[in-house]
Amino acid sequence: MRFYNYDPGEFYDELFVAPGQPRPEAIPLIERINSLSDGELERRQQASQIALLKLGVTFNVYSDNEGTERIFPFDIIPRIVSASEWTHLEEGLKQRIYALNLFINDIYNDQKIIKDSVIPIELIDSATGFLKPCMGLKPPGGIWCHITGTDLVRDRDGRWYVLEDNLRCPSGVSYVLENRRVMKSTFPQVFDTMPIQPVEEYPSHLLETLLNLAPPHLSDPTVVVLTPGIYNSAYFEHSFLAQQMGVQLVEGRDLVVSDGYLQMRTTKGLQRVDVIYRRIDDDFIDPLAFRPDSSLGIPGLMEVYRNNRVAIANALGTGVADDKVIYAYVPQMIRYYLKEEPILANVPTFLCWEPQQQSHVLANLDKLVVKAANESGGYGMLVGPFASPAEREVFAEKIKANPRNYIAQPTLSLSRVPTLLEDSFEGCHVDLRPYILYGKQIYVNPGGLTRVALKRGSLVVNSSQGGGSKDTWVVSNQGSNGSTQEQMSVSSTGFMTQKQSN
Amino acid sequence: MLSRVADSIYWLNRYVERAENVARFIDVNLNLLLDSPTGVIQQWEPLVLTTGDLPLFKERYSEVTAENAIQFLTFDRQYPNSIISCLFAARENARSIREVISSEMWEQVNSFYFMVQEAAKSNFLSNLSEFFAEVKMASHLFSGVMDGTMTHNEGWHFGEIGRLLERADKTARILDVKYFILLPSVKDVGTTLDELQWMALLKSASAYEMYRKQGVHRIDPTAVAEFLILNREFPRSIQFCILQTERSLHEITGTPLGSWRNPVERTLGRLRSELEYLTIEEIVQIGLHEFLDKIQSQINDVGDKIFNTFFAVSH
């Protein structure tokens, strides 16, 4: 399999400028693949899938009693981002996370941004992610979003846009780490010759971020990862991160509020917990404060949290800024809190609650993508150009009935990356989700999860709808591997290996 | 450690060991049948009976044929103690504590499950004994991998306890199989056929060679029973399992051996010392089957007390 016939087409292609002309940072990879013997690439693709299944890097499909698990389909042609472009993205993401944290802290405390008429109060009050019980909370360091997975897309003209911020419990980082592990064994020579920035530091940074939340007087704080349990589709990731950090993975039933503290049930009795990395949604975390029917949470946790006797990452209530109407105001937040111009652009967004914008949306339903403000994962969405007139009519009615709940955006032509489909390379559409940690400083893991739509021509990258993933390489433009490798020290004392005496 | 985690690692090991022993169960019967003179009716009902699940079997199958018994004990997903169900449960437990056990342990139990799943799909009857040999080896691999890759900490000791209690129980049941097979033909006692059957039994517990090495060279039924019940050094004998369980238990609690501070330590210590001062003659006097029955219920009692002491922590 060779790239000689690959045509990037009319889209922005992440690896090729034109047919037969790879981008400079991709040249060593393309040359390597072109030099492989026939069938070798397919063999490596298969080997990588088997490796992922063996590692148990799976997500659950519990539709039958065999507990079927599927691996998230993985394509071995990586997506490459040049280091200079990455620097730009990294700065933009840091700026955005910084502003979003100031915003959330402001909303749950002084609400200056409302008083200064930048955002109308009705929009906040009507956001489903806005949690009244969180008013007045002061999480350690004023940080609310410790872990973020921002979705970025690139349009036909090569410009990057922020699609979603994902400030609650973003998942997928385990695929970044495991995909990289598999890629290193698939293309070891390429890693030797290309300066690819490492992603493996993520778990250490995550642990630091969590330890940063414990009260300083504790010399050995107890950090746990809280999971809904093995039937959750992202269970592998919860377990993987706990393992990589060397902390306990707990379920709600392992925890109990006792003597005013959060404690876990151990073989030696109850033991105090200081920091929770929770992978349970706000609504489910404490049946006394939120949904009373939740069996996943811990009754009384909110009270302990409010008394600052346990830290939670991400803080409760961050979902207010995930509302797609609030999202539209992020550029204003950056200007308001930071007095800076946004480095990364939002996708242009029309707000249906504003009458003028609503009539524009209704008049152009065949060109726009309409999204419900509080849904994710591709639900509650209308892709105008691909929808039938009847479907558009349904959405027009929905918009008129509840304008606050709808936004509209132009249909973007997502960029593409060559992908191994059956026995040829096809350009497939991708997005990018980098992972950002906010501890003492903001850290952006270099690269992130590239999700790819594996059906020909499809724009949907979600794993539940036929999407897969690729490794993402942030690569310096110049020359060979710049990282310094320490010389292995060789023992000079020359101990002999012991032998069995005859 | 978390009670739930301790519970899972305990059951992970119990289920792997159980799968191995079900394979040994069927294997002993297959071996016994191979050594039987032609014309003797194949006996599979006693095998199902010793699992304690004969009523469940009768609900699901019309008659006890070799095929039905093997299907039930090996590949029946509705039967919770079949090999495939045990591995499914072992794997689910392992999945819930992947961050506690080593990756190598997870990979071993994962590929063990896939191996059995593949076998369930294929036409298995053609090379049954090869399959059971693979099951035994995969189980040995698992315990070896656990021994060699996991810190011998509290969790490891809970795993050991699970494995050893399960093994003690199953060795008792394997001995019982012979008892039932023997019953209808008391006249065979002491004949060549009888000796062949006891050899088959020893082989099924991987005990034949070790039995031969311990000094008693003749295959003597009483000596075989003594070896599998009271030997302190053979790793599948009941007494060996009880001794090691006690050692792990006291590693967890820190209580000095020979004393007790909780119901598990007391029950287990009592059982261990009973076995220490028991002779095979006394066991024969009680009746082998009756003795084995009692041992099984004592082991179950230890299991219940472990649950109440360590796994069911309330406020």
Side-chain angles (χ1 to χ4, degrees):
Chain A
M1 187 101 79
R2 312 282 190 276
F3 275 110
Y4 306 135
N5 299 325
Y6 178 71
D7 181 1
E10 50 174 322
F11 297 94
Y12 185 95
D13 192 284
E14 301 282 352
L15 296 191
F16 282 85
V17 187
Q21 197 190 334
R23 296 184 184 278
E25 58 274 13
I27 291 173
L29 173 75
I30 304 300
E31 282 176 350
R32 176 71 195 147
I33 292 174
N34 283 341
S35 75
L36 292 175
S37 54
D38 283 340
E40 181 61 25
L41 192 68
E42 291 88 332
R43 268 195 292 281
R44 292 187 190 197
Q45 167 88 352
Q46 266 175 359
S48 69
Q49 305 274 4
I50 291 166
L52 288 170
L53 188 63
K54 206 174 148 219
L55 289 166
V57 187
T58 53
F59 66 95
N60 297 335
V61 188
Y62 265 83
S63 52
D64 60 43
N65 62 2
E66 290 186 27
T68 316
E69 287 142 54
R70 295 212 308 246
I71 61 166
F72 190 22
F74 172 67
D75 182 78
I76 57 170
I77 311 298
R79 185 242 200 94
I80 295 181
V81 181
S82 76
S84 55
E85 193 157 39
W86 178 253
T87 309
H88 168 75
L89 291 179
E90 194 178 3
E91 280 171 10
L93 289 166
K94 284 181 177 173
Q95 179 196 50
R96 196 168 170 105
I97 297 304
Y98 198 48
L100 278 162
N101 263 285
L102 290 171
F103 167 73
I104 297 167
N105 199 47
D106 185 25
I107 284 300
Y108 287 114
N109 286 283
D110 304 334
Q111 302 203 329
K112 286 187 200 139
I113 197 164
I114 296 171
K115 288 167 192 154
D116 289 336
S117 309
V118 180
I119 298 180
I121 188 158
E122 301 78 40
L123 293 187
I124 301 294
D125 279 342
S126 58
T128 48
F130 175 65
L131 301 179
K132 284 234 162 62
C134 296
M135 284 305 293
L137 280 184
K138 298 201 186 308
I143 305 169
W144 293 67
C145 302
H146 312 92
I147 300 113
T148 310
T150 308
D151 284 342
L152 302 173
V153 292
R154 202 207 278 266
D155 199 9
R156 195 188 296 268
D157 60 2
R159 262 195 89 183
W160 290 92
Y161 294 95
V162 176
L163 192 65
E164 280 178 19
D165 290 293
N166 298 315
L167 304 162
R168 287 169 286 187
C169 302
S171 63
V173 72
S174 57
Y175 298 118
V176 173
L177 297 167
E178 292 294 65
N179 285 354
R180 177 61 56 89
R181 184 150 86 137
V182 167
M183 285 302 279
K184 278 182 167 170
S185 54
T186 308
F187 290 117
Q189 300 90 337
V190 179
F191 277 85
D192 274 346
T193 54
M194 288 176 76
I196 301 164
Q197 295 192 21
V199 296
E200 290 82 355
E201 294 156 352
Y202 183 86
S204 320
H205 280 279
L206 179 59
L207 182 60
E208 276 310 313
T209 304
L210 296 170
L211 286 170
N212 187 46
L213 296 177
H217 65 269
L218 288 182
S219 60
D220 190 16
T222 301
V223 176
V224 300
V225 176
L226 175 60
T227 173
I230 61 169
Y231 298 106
N232 184 274
S233 61
Y235 178 76
F236 164 74
E237 176 157 307
H238 307 160
S239 158
F240 176 82
L241 291 174
Q243 184 179 47
Q244 294 298 309
M245 292 190 288
V247 306
Q248 302 266 18
L249 178 69
V250 305
E251 297 175 21
R253 60 190 160 122
D254 297 323
L255 299 177
V256 61
V257 172
S258 178
D259 300 330
Y261 286 94
L262 182 67
Q263 318 235 22
M264 56 185 180
R265 304 174 209 266
T266 78
T267 53
K268 300 199 160 79
L270 296 181
Q271 188 196 327
R272 206 178 124 176
V273 172
D274 304 299
V275 182
I276 311 177
Y277 174 26
R278 51 99 178 196
R279 297 293 297 257
I280 294 183
D281 288 339
D282 293 5
D283 284 354
F284 290 92
I285 209 159
D286 179 355
L288 298 184
F290 304 104
R291 282 180 65 150
D293 60 336
S294 167
S295 56
L296 302 173
I298 307 102
L301 176 62
M302 189 64 191
E303 185 63 26
V304 182
Y305 183 48
R306 185 169 278 288
N307 293 333
N308 276 324
R309 286 174 161 184
V310 68
I312 301 180
N314 288 348
L316 302 180
T318 52
V320 63
D322 267 345
D323 187 292
K324 292 190 173 64
V325 176
I326 308 295
Y327 150 90
Y329 286 88
V330 176
Q332 281 99 306
M333 290 175 203
I334 294 173
R335 293 186 196 105
Y336 178 77
Y337 293 111
L338 306 180
K339 314 278 180 274
E340 293 172 7
E341 275 305 303
I343 298 169
L344 289 176
N346 265 12
V347 179
T349 303
F350 302 102
L351 301 172
C352 297
W353 69 271
E354 286 196 351
Q356 245 185 324
Q357 299 191 28
Q358 187 189 123
S359 30
H360 174 82
V361 170
L362 291 175
N364 292 282
L365 273 183
D366 56 335
K367 302 186 190 72
L368 297 170
V369 177
V370 182
K371 295 175 178 172
N374 288 299
E375 309 246 18
S376 59
Y379 298 102
M381 217 168 108
L382 175 86
V383 184
F386 299 102
S388 67
E391 286 169 325
R392 289 201 285 266
E393 192 47 42
V394 170
F395 259 77
E397 290 309 314
K398 284 186 181 177
I399 291 169
K400 284 183 233 162
N402 187 1
R404 160 64 179 85
N405 199 36
Y406 291 93
I407 59 131
Q409 295 169 336
T411 314
L412 301 180
S413 300
L414 303 190
S415 61
R416 304 202 308 185
V417 182
T419 301
L420 199 52
L421 285 189
E422 286 143 37
D423 50 3
S424 65
F425 291 118
E426 294 267 343
C428 287
H429 296 287
V430 294
D431 73 353
L432 177 63
R433 178 181 288 184
Y435 294 88
I436 305 122
L437 297 173
Y438 194 169
K440 281 199 179 73
Q441 292 101 28
I442 298 180
Y443 160 81
V444 188
N445 188 249
L449 183 65
T450 291
R451 295 189 299 176
V452 52
L454 290 174
K455 280 187 214 140
R456 274 194 186 89
S458 168
L459 288 168
V460 185
V461 295
N462 300 70
S463 57
S464 51
Q465 305 186 35
S469 75
K470 286 171 170 287
D471 195 11
T472 311
W473 293 357
V474 175
V475 175
S476 309
N477 306 47
Q478 66 276 37
S480 66
N481 202 329
S483 72
T484 53
Q485 285 198 348
E486 278 181 42
Q487 283 283 312
M488 257 225 286
S489 64
V490 178
S491 165
S492 56
T493 47
F495 286 115
M496 297 260 292
T497 306
Q498 283 200 335
K499 278 189 273 186
Q500 184 176 23
S501 48
N502 295 317
Chain B
M1 82 187 308
L2 284 177
S3 299
R4 175 181 55 82
V5 171
D7 185 50
S8 289
I9 194 166
Y10 169 89
W11 279 105
L12 161 61
N13 279 275
R14 275 201 88 142
Y15 280 125
V16 169
E17 183 71 22
R18 188 168 294 174
E20 177 191 330
N21 281 287
V22 172
R24 289 179 181 280
F25 259 26
I26 305 173
D27 213 29
V28 65
N29 219 40
L30 286 171
N31 277 329
L32 289 172
L33 292 175
L34 288 179
D35 290 335
S36 302
T38 44
V40 172
I41 304 157
Q42 295 201 351
Q43 294 192 55
W44 285 94
E45 183 155 335
L47 183 71
V48 181
L49 184 65
T50 50
T51 62
D53 297 316
L54 188 60
L56 200 69
F57 178 88
K58 296 235 153 129
E59 272 173 36
R60 305 186 31 72
Y61 300 86
S62 51
E63 52 176 332
V64 194
T65 61
E67 199 165 306
N68 283 348
I70 292 171
Q71 173 65 25
F72 177 68
L73 294 171
T74 311
F75 298 125
D76 191 338
R77 285 183 182 270
Q78 309 296 317
Y79 171 47
N81 292 324
S82 69
I83 293 179
I84 199 159
S85 296
C86 284
L87 281 161
F88 179 74
R91 183 162 172 274
E92 290 293 273
N93 275 292
R95 253 153 59 78
S96 73
I97 51 170
R98 274 185 69 172
E99 77 294 347
V100 178
I101 61 178
S102 64
S103 308
E104 289 88 343
M105 285 167 72
W106 160 252
E107 282 173 30
Q108 176 55 25
V109 77
N110 198 28
S111 51
F112 192 173
Y113 173 69
F114 284 135
M115 183 267 280
V116 175
Q117 200 182 29
E118 281 307 306
K121 283 182 205 154
S122 61
N123 180 16
F124 63 94
L125 283 168
S126 54
N127 50 10
L128 258 185
S129 46
E130 195 182 313
F131 169 72
F132 292 126
E134 272 183 66
V135 169
K136 282 187 266 182
M137 185 49 78
S139 163
H140 294 160
L141 261 175
F142 175 77
S143 67
V145 163
M146 174 165 138
D147 190 74
T149 60
M150 183 179 174
T151 307
H152 291 201
N153 54 13
E154 194 186 349
W156 186 86
H157 284 293
F158 273 114
E160 286 290 295
I161 291 177
R163 172 183 310 122
L164 291 161
L165 280 184
E166 181 68 25
R167 187 181 291 169
D169 175 77
K170 289 301 177 287
T171 296
R173 288 177 197 265
I174 286 174
L175 259 173
D176 235 13
V177 176
K178 168 62 184 163
Y179 169 84
F180 277 100
I181 295 278
L182 195 61
L183 254 193
S185 52
V186 178
K187 61 176 167 42
D188 289 337
V189 176
T191 63
T192 320
L193 173 63
D194 191 42
E195 183 170 326
L196 282 172
Q197 289 190 340
W198 282 105
M199 278 168 63
L201 176 96
L202 280 169
K203 282 179 185 162
S204 299
S206 298
Y208 176 68
E209 292 165 24
M210 295 299 145
Y211 172 84
R212 288 284 197 190
K213 283 185 219 307
Q214 52 142 16
V216 190
H217 299 294
R218 289 188 48 249
I219 302 290
D220 169 62
T222 319
V224 171
E226 183 178 27
F227 186 71
L228 288 179
I229 298 170
L230 298 176
N231 190 289
R232 296 171 60 91
E233 290 162 350
F234 179 65
R236 310 199 74 81
S237 90
I238 296 173
Q239 174 67 333
F240 178 94
C241 295
I242 298 296
L243 280 166
Q244 294 297 323
T245 303
E246 195 184 26
R247 214 167 284 173
S248 276
L249 177 66
H250 286 256
E251 283 291 327
I252 291 167
T253 57
T255 310
L257 275 167
S259 59
W260 59 273
R261 282 198 293 227
N262 63 46
V264 194
E265 288 168 350
R266 180 161 169 269
T267 312
L268 193 64
R270 195 170 183 165
L271 177 58
R272 187 255 311 144
S273 54
E274 237 174 75
L275 288 174
E276 270 178 354
Y277 295 97
L278 200 62
T279 64
I280 189 64
E281 288 75 22
E282 285 172 297
I283 293 175
V284 171
Q285 214 165 32
I286 301 165
L288 184 59
H289 173 65
E290 286 71 18
F291 170 80
L292 292 172
D293 240 16
K294 185 167 161 246
I295 274 275
Q296 285 165 35
S297 80
Q298 283 171 308
I299 292 168
N300 283 347
D301 187 34
V302 173
D304 291 342
K305 291 196 159 84
I306 287 175
F307 177 81
N308 289 324
T309 307
F310 298 107
F311 305 157
V313 179
S314 52
H315 302 41

